[in-house]
Amino acid sequence: MRINYLLLFILFILSCNNEENLEKTTIVSLIKEENSRNYNSIEKGLLDQISLDKLNVKINFYTLDGDDSTTIQIANNVRDDNSTIAIVIGENATLVSMNIIVPQSIIFAGYFDNLSISNIYKSKIQNNNITGVYGSLDITKYLKRISDKNINSFAYLHTKHSTISTYVSEYIKKYCSNENIRYYSLEVEENYNSHDIENMIKGKNIDYLFLANEDYIDNNLYSISYICDKYSIPIINTDISDALNVGILFSLDFNYYYLGRELALLLDKIIKNNRKTEGIDFINVSNSYKILLNEDIANHYNIKFSEEILDTSSLIVKDGNIIRK
């Protein structure tokens, strides 16, 4: 009889421990905008740091296809699932879903322009349920540093459907207006071919063409590079891996894996804050950008890089070789 009581007592203790462990487990919904190199790197950094820190979390994984309607549908599903925290990886997904996922605390990750961040701040003020880690991409800070030549005109090639690209375009337009630089917002449809793009570019005296970080642009990068070479237009982009294979003059890239590690640290902080974002501000990790300069392309266009940009560059392409600094 005494053994039975002892057995029941042990089972009771084990049951309490199991309930306590379940209570400590945080259920997280992870929404990834798409399976791209950048977003996959953020996810890997996040999961590696979660594993390293042994965070007690259970993750519901969602992957979008980049379409706004799908984003809205998944966001509605997430707000009704059993998670207490929603992690959103991707700029457009964050902007579309942040006012839909209201019950959960939201943590976002990606690189954003200043206008996008200000809109997310507005959502934080209204709902007080969002925070995140981000790199602020501001290409205007580098325009006048690239070379000693004056900039008379600047163009931004992007699709019409991307919310983030629209914000970037508005921001650049304002900058160019203040600096007396002619600005061309080159909006393309996703069914445009190389002839359509060429018709948009030709006849315009463009000093630099900045490429949006979008799938359509990536898929047509070689055609765009060929057209720009035809009209002697240097290209700026935000992906170093592309810059090594195509004629990119200047590339400003971000360490997305590092961003994911910081995202996990922020997740831990929110869990310890009773799973609330209250009192936890956004984290800007812009100091982990990498700058690539292609001296071969610069010589091709008779451009001399400024000493300032040379001093801050991480990678230089010269005579077909990559020089790491």
Side-chain angles (χ1 to χ4, degrees), residues 27-33 42-43 46-47 50 55 57 59-62 78 83-90 93-94 97 101 104-109 131-133 260 263-264 266-268 270-271:
I27 301 177
V28 176
S29 290
L30 174 59
I31 305 174
K32 184 170 60 174
E33 188 165 315
I42 294 175
E43 182 183 41
L46 168 71
L47 298 179
I50 286 175
L55 298 187
V57 298
I59 303 177
N60 303 322
F61 291 91
Y62 300 88
V78 167
S83 60
T84 56
I85 297 175
I87 295 176
V88 185
I89 296 176
T94 299
S97 66
I101 310 172
Q104 291 94 333
S105 295
I106 303 172
I107 315 174
F108 68 88
T131 191
V133 294
L263 179 62
L266 183 60
L267 171 63
D268 185 30
I270 290 171
I271 291 173

Side-chain angles (χ1 to χ4, degrees), residues 76-300:
N76 279 315
N77 291 341
V78 167
R79 69 175 292 164
D80 295 327
D81 71 11
N82 57 354
S83 60
T84 56
I85 297 175
I87 295 176
V88 185
I89 296 176
E91 301 78 24
N92 209 56
T94 299
L95 294 169
V96 172
S97 66
M98 64 183 180
N99 291 315
I100 300 174
I101 310 172
V102 176
Q104 291 94 333
S105 295
I106 303 172
I107 315 174
F108 68 88
Y111 79 86
F112 294 83
D113 65 291
N114 294 338
L115 185 56
S116 299
I117 286 297
S118 67
N119 283 333
I120 301 175
Y121 262 117
K122 291 176 184 176
S123 179
K124 183 175 180 65
I125 292 171
Q126 292 169 355
N127 301 318
N128 195 30
N129 72 324
I130 189 167
T131 191
V133 294
Y134 71 98
S136 56
L137 174 62
D138 188 354
I139 196 65
T140 63
K141 291 182 178 179
Y142 297 89
L143 284 182
K144 291 191 173 182
R145 302 182 194 177
I146 295 176
S147 77
D148 297 328
K149 289 185 177 180
N150 292 326
I151 302 174
N152 297 310
S153 62
F154 188 73
Y156 180 48
L157 184 67
H158 62 100
T159 63
K160 294 181 179 180
H161 73 85
S162 171
T163 303
I164 188 73
S165 293
T166 300
Y167 285 153
V168 170
S169 181
E170 291 177 10
Y171 183 79
I172 296 174
K173 180 180 179 180
K174 183 177 180 180
Y175 169 83
C176 289
S177 177
N178 292 336
E179 299 293 329
N180 294 319
I181 298 172
R182 186 184 298 108
Y183 175 62
Y184 299 104
S185 178
L186 305 180
E187 294 183 334
V188 298
E189 299 285 359
E190 293 203 337
N191 61 349
Y192 276 16
N193 56 35
S194 58
H195 296 293
D196 297 322
I197 298 174
E198 182 172 1
N199 287 333
M200 296 180 69
I201 290 176
K202 70 179 182 181
K204 296 179 177 67
N205 187 18
I206 300 173
D207 288 340
Y208 297 105
L209 176 66
F210 181 40
L211 303 181
N213 188 8
E214 299 183 45
D215 285 343
Y216 172 84
I217 304 296
D218 292 340
N219 294 336
N220 292 275
L221 188 57
Y222 287 94
S223 297
I224 294 169
S225 177
Y226 174 80
I227 294 168
C228 287
D229 185 55
K230 181 178 178 179
Y231 293 97
S232 299
I233 302 172
I235 297 175
I236 297 173
N237 82 333
T238 57
D239 192 330
I240 283 180
S241 63
D242 287 336
L244 299 178
N245 301 317
V246 189
I248 306 295
L249 172 74
F250 173 86
S251 184
L252 183 68
D253 203 357
F254 189 69
N255 188 336
Y256 290 91
Y257 179 79
Y258 172 75
L259 187 67
R261 300 289 290 260
E262 291 295 314
L263 179 62
L265 297 177
L266 183 60
L267 171 63
D268 185 30
K269 189 175 182 180
I270 290 171
I271 291 173
K272 292 175 180 176
N273 195 44
N274 294 320
R275 302 179 177 89
K276 302 294 183 182
T277 64
E278 185 176 358
I280 300 176
D281 208 350
F282 300 175
I283 299 174
N284 189 338
V285 290
S286 294
N287 58 348
S288 61
Y289 273 111
K290 295 180 180 179
I291 295 176
L292 178 142
L293 305 176
N294 194 322
E295 289 197 352
D296 296 339
I297 300 299
N299 292 333
H300 177 68

